[in-house]
Amino acid sequence: MSDTSVHTTDADLEDGSKRDFIFLATGATAAAGAAAVGWPLVAQMGKAADTLAAGSIEIDLSKIGEGQQLKMLWRGKPVFVRHRTAAEIAEANAVELSVLKDPEVDTDRLIAGPSGAVNQKYLVMVGVCTHFGCVPVGEAGDFDGWYCPCHGSHYDTSGRIRKGPAPKNMVIPPYSFISENVIKVG
Amino acid sequence: MSGPSTYEPKYAAAKWMDQRLPIIRMGADFMTFPSPRNLNYWYTFGGILALCLVVQILSGVILAMHYVADVDKAFASVQRIRRDVPFGWLLQSMHAVGASMFFLAVYMHMFRGLYYGSYKAPREVIWILGCAIYLAMMATAFLGYTLPWGQMSFWGATVITGFFGAVPVVGESLQEWLLGGYSVDNATLNRFFALHYLLPFVIAALVGLHVWALHHVGQNNPIGISAKTESDTLSFHPFYTVKDAFAIAVFLVIFAIFLFYLPDALGHADNYIEADALKTPPHIVPEWYFLPFYAILRAVPSKLFGILLMLGAIVVLFVLPWLDTHKVRSMRFRPIAKWFFLIFIVMCFLLGWCGAETPDNVVPVIGLGKMTFYTLSQIATLYYFAYFLIILPVLGLVEKPIKRPDSITKAVLGDSHRDAGLAPAE
Ligand code: HEM
Ligand code: FES
């Protein structure tokens, strides 16, 4: 307040406290108002209800032949379902955890079916490079898994990052088995 | 340099207006602004840039009348502009080529500032506003490139918004907040369009401040010595309006060559393929004017560090006035800094080259052995930062400048014309 000199020289403080009241009340209202308007302004940028509600997808695993990969769009991103060959599974199992940038055992990257056991044949993951989000190319790269053409990240047959700038393994989406051969992603 | 106003209203109406809103006075003072008499063609890029901004805004507003911001229609709507809308081919190319020309001019303008020390006191604020303009230009260009919804549009947007995902802890939420979804999609396209429309007007406002600050402290010049007497300066009009107009004419010829003969030379064939979220093009590259930063981004094998370096490359520009502590502005009189500056320019071009190539490829230059573009980009990145953070600060302490002229007038006209108030050779 600009008139503090009045405070110190004037014994009657009534004037000053009135101003303090107006100052504080206005300030508090302005702050509350700014927050009340600011939050909607920020929140409107987030996902809209219809985007959030965008459903899940179902995938029939039995339609994918050995050595084939299915690509489906889920939440605007590709989901890879790969029916891995025995050689690819063996390769994924043979990797030492110590050489991995983001250590994970292959079977921890799979979700158990109705029988309660994981089936190493089917690898389900979000086909998005964890670097800046390109879609890696299958059966390519130094580790026989995926290769991301954008900045050269190599993934192995379990979708784990092995070489290049990507920091993490490709993500496993939430999914569950609705029958022996059909999974529901999302 | 903003001396007293010399405007005298001639007509009663002008006088009436002058007493109420001195806007004619403002224009008149602008036209008679005393400018150093030794400005060379490097000083014409400011005017060229102002023209570029007008071209982008005019062509952009017209394109917006035909464009549809919807993931299912955007690509087709741009093709329709190019084929079916009367003169759409011209306006669409003008906007796309115009963006490249804008960047060409801004880089010239910035290199000019670096060489003549235009960022030094008292022009720090002009420089910082310029950096802010440059940043806003980059944002605008990136947002605009997304709109045609081709493969490069989509994957460029995916990669760039992916930068935000690298922020520790909140990265993913931040990225999805910016996108308005889980990935680049309709919500993203619409907000990008809204912002692409908005930002050029922000740039226009920043340019206003930039020129205001310029007119407050006065222009720098190729010898970096401040204008002190009247004979050091010339009226902006007609001396520099004519010089600027000539430079603009040459610039527009180059613009027209690209516009009419090479409209796609600076673009990417992949952007003629509609965006496909399931397939990344085999070789993603940004527009040419972002290539050096792209090379810096890829020069380290770490996502977060790469982004920080790239941001750092722009941040150093903002603080440059406090990094280069040398008293002499113009590098004409700095025999050592001049060479480091030349190398700096070469390194910027090399970074651009690295950005366009695949990092693992070998540089096709004899004598470099098996050096890859990755290694080359590391060397050039190192130099880029060293120039600002080591070379300039150290030279500020040790470099001895060569002898400078006493004044602009002496530098231009020699010793014989010492008196003030000379009639400039016309
Ligand atoms: C839309 C973009 C821009 C426009 C329209 C613009 C406009 C202008 C104009 C008209 C001038 C005066 C004429 C001249 O010296 O060339 C000027 C001066 C200047 N500009 Fe810019 N500018 C832009 C961007 C930038 C950028 C990106 C920077 C640097 C980061 C920058 C730095 C400067 C400096 C330091 C000056 C003072 C020049 C001197 O007196 O030596 N400008 N600008
Ligand atoms: S996005 Fe895959 S390596 Fe960069």
Side-chain angles (χ1 to χ4, degrees), chain A residues 39-168:
Chain A
W39 178 243
L41 291 182
V42 170
Q44 56 81 22
M45 290 270 285
K47 294 182 210 85
D50 60 340
T51 309
L52 283 169
S56 42
I57 52 168
E58 288 179 14
I59 299 171
D60 185 350
L61 300 179
S62 62
K63 296 229 168 74
I64 311 165
E66 184 168 315
Q68 278 189 331
Q69 171 177 296
L70 184 79
K71 253 199 238 181
M72 300 260 293
L73 213 52
W74 171 70
R75 292 179 171 177
K77 292 176 189 169
V79 166
F80 290 170
V81 185
R82 182 160 179 87
H83 185 160
R84 296 186 290 185
T85 61
E88 285 169 345
I89 297 171
E91 226 181 304
N93 288 337
V95 178
E96 290 279 342
L97 276 192
S98 57
V99 304
L100 294 175
K101 194 167 175 182
D102 179 12
E104 254 184 317
V105 185
D106 184 61
T107 48
D108 287 349
R109 297 174 51 75
L110 306 169
I111 288 174
S115 64
V118 294
N119 182 352
Q120 279 198 296
K121 278 185 182 160
Y122 296 107
L123 175 65
V124 181
M125 60 186 183
V126 179
V128 167
C129 179
T130 57
H131 186 223
F132 292 129
C134 291
V135 180
V137 185
E139 289 168 68
D142 296 355
F143 299 88
D144 304 321
W146 287 265
Y147 172 72
C148 180
C150 290
H151 317 95
S153 288
H154 301 252
Y155 295 87
D156 66 14
T157 56
S158 182
R160 291 172 296 200
I161 179 66
R162 300 297 294 276
K163 190 181 155 194
K168 295 261 178 223

Side-chain angles (χ1 to χ4, degrees), chain A residues 42 45-47 51-52 71 73 75-78 130-135 149-151 165 167, chain B residues 155 158-159 162-163 176-177 180-183 191 277-278 280 282 284 294 297-298 301 303 307:
Chain A
V42 170
M45 290 270 285
K47 294 182 210 85
T51 309
L52 283 169
K71 253 199 238 181
L73 213 52
R75 292 179 171 177
K77 292 176 189 169
T130 57
H131 186 223
F132 292 129
C134 291
V135 180
C150 290
H151 317 95
Chain B
W155 290 103
T158 299
V159 169
F163 294 173
E176 292 186 349
W177 177 74
Y182 300 99
S183 54
R191 63 188 55 184
L278 288 174
T280 306
I284 293 198
Y294 196 55
L297 171 77
R298 297 190 298 183
K303 172 168 162 177
I307 296 171

